[in-house]
Amino acid sequence: MLSIQETIRPSADLRNHYNEISKQCREKKEAVIITVNGKGDTVSLGYEEYKAMKARIELLEILAEADEDVKCGRVAPMKDTFDELRSMLKEG
């Protein structure tokens, strides 16, 4: 399980110390939670970490759909599936 380190900073820090927050997100791969009036408002995350997180979420969604297909009996023999794919590739 991947765990992202988090830091909490007030919104004034985003305005006054943006470069420091950006570096913290990129180099330390930390999520910085920005607060407004003491309450969580926004999360800043390095771009590479964001892309990796998004890819993990997309994969989990695909796996959840596949799990649901299996539970509902929407399955086919592997041989039939690969034969169909080969046929589509030859036509396409």
Side-chain angles (χ1 to χ4, degrees):
M1 180 61 108
L2 182 66
S3 178
I4 296 175
Q5 193 73 5
E6 298 175 343
T7 301
I8 299 172
R9 297 181 72 156
S11 60
D13 280 4
L14 187 58
R15 184 175 47 254
N16 299 324
H17 303 284
Y18 173 79
N19 289 336
E20 181 183 316
I21 291 173
S22 176
K23 184 176 179 179
Q24 185 176 0
C25 292
R26 284 182 288 109
E27 293 180 6
K28 294 183 179 180
K29 298 186 182 201
E30 289 184 2
V32 177
I33 300 168
I34 305 298
T35 62
V36 175
N37 297 324
K39 295 182 181 177
D41 179 72
T42 307
V43 176
S44 182
L45 195 61
Y47 182 64
E48 292 302 319
E49 196 64 29
Y50 166 77
K51 288 192 318 185
M53 183 183 292
K54 186 176 175 188
R56 286 190 300 273
I57 291 168
E58 289 171 355
L59 177 59
L60 287 171
E61 288 173 344
I62 290 168
L63 291 172
E65 288 176 14
D67 188 51
E68 185 67 21
D69 286 343
V70 170
K71 287 178 183 175
C72 293
R74 295 186 298 260
V75 295
M78 191 180 331
K79 182 186 180 321
D80 295 349
T81 301
F82 279 103
D83 288 347
E84 185 178 324
L85 287 171
R86 285 186 192 94
S87 175
M88 289 170 59
L89 288 171
K90 286 179 184 176
E91 293 172 5

